[in-house]
């Protein structure tokens, strides 16, 4: 009888250990996926920021007296570049909103300057920006999906019992700049 009881205890202990290892790996994998998704956003933000100097130069060629708009865009680009080095998702989102606000009047200059709007370089840059915006929207969605998965795992049974031991905390969602 004692040996049967020891076997049962050993089987239960092994099952608990297997459950712990599976939970630990599942939560850590979800955390890695969140970090990967955030770096995908950073890639697109960096790509977007790298298009800005060319866009500013092209507009400057046609509308040099619009210095205030050009300076505002340059400052917003610098803020975005430094925000991607930050660990905060909120900083990235705020810097992205600032760049969106700065880009709107710059892109509207195409309406005021027909020769700018007919420039192949300007049109190509607009297409690249639009493509980057689409990729950025997808990267944001992928990140938020990864965060939802991680946060759900951290707060549901049975993984919530393993979560404190993994050192992984809930992550914040990426807010779309408005």
């Amino acid at each position: 009888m004692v040996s049967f009881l020891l076997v049962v205890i050993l089987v239960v202990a092994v099952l608990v250990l297997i459950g712990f290892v599976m939970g630990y790996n599942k939560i850590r994998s979800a955390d890695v996926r969140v970090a990967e998704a955030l770096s995908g956003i950073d890639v697109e933000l960096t790509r977007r920021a790298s298009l800005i100097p060319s866009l500013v130069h092209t507009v400057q060629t046609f509308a040099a007296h619009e210095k205030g708009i050009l300076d505002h865009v340059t400052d917003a680009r610098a803020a975005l570049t430094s925000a991607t080095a930050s660990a905060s998702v909120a900083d990235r989102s705020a810097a992205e909103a600032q760049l969106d606000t700065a880009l709107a009047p710059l892109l509207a200059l195409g309406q005021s300057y027909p020769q700018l709007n007919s420039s192949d370089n300007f049109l190509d840059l607009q297409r690249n920006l639009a493509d980057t915006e689409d990729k950025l929207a997808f990267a944001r969605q992928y990140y938020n999906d990864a965060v939802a998965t991680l946060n759900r795992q951290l707060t549901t049974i049975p993984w919530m019992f393993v979560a404190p031991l993994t050192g992984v905390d809930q992550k914040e969602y990426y807010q779309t700049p408005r």
Side-chain angles (χ1 to χ4, degrees):
M1 180 72 177
V2 173
S3 63
F4 175 74
L5 190 57
L6 286 174
V7 169
V8 168
I9 291 173
L10 184 62
V11 168
V12 168
V14 167
L15 290 175
V16 167
L17 180 64
I18 289 172
F20 172 79
V21 170
M22 286 176 50
Y24 184 88
N25 288 340
K26 188 171 184 132
I27 290 171
R28 297 298 286 179
S29 295
D31 190 42
V32 168
R33 184 171 172 234
V34 168
E36 171 197 347
L38 186 58
S39 70
I41 291 173
D42 287 345
V43 165
E44 294 307 322
L45 289 175
T46 302
R47 179 175 181 226
R48 184 182 189 203
S50 70
L51 291 171
I52 302 301
S54 299
L55 185 63
V56 167
H57 178 71
T58 301
V59 171
Q60 204 169 29
T61 305
F62 292 97
H65 59 282
E66 303 286 356
K67 184 158 177 42
I69 293 173
L70 299 175
D71 289 344
H72 187 46
V73 169
T74 302
D75 293 343
R77 177 190 180 267
L80 181 65
T81 301
S82 67
T84 56
S86 166
S88 170
V89 173
D91 289 349
R92 285 174 176 83
S93 183
E96 189 179 350
Q98 182 183 354
L99 184 61
D100 285 345
T101 302
L103 277 177
L106 181 70
L107 294 173
L109 286 177
Q111 305 304 319
S112 303
Y113 297 90
Q115 70 275 22
L116 176 62
N117 216 18
S118 65
S119 165
D120 289 336
N121 193 22
F122 183 71
L123 295 175
D124 186 46
L125 287 167
Q126 279 186 318
R127 276 191 296 276
N128 281 332
L129 273 173
D131 181 48
T132 301
E133 289 298 326
D134 291 343
K135 290 178 181 177
L136 192 52
F138 176 77
R140 280 190 220 110
Q141 179 183 354
Y142 180 71
Y143 172 80
N144 284 339
D145 288 345
V147 167
T149 300
L150 175 65
N151 289 348
R152 189 173 35 257
Q153 287 176 358
L154 292 174
T155 58
T156 57
I157 295 174
W159 312 125
M160 67 188 286
F161 300 115
V162 178
L165 304 173
T166 63
V168 176
D169 294 322
Q170 287 192 19
K171 305 295 183 198
E172 60 183 318
Y173 288 96
Y174 197 97
Q175 301 298 317
T176 304
R178 300 197 194 271

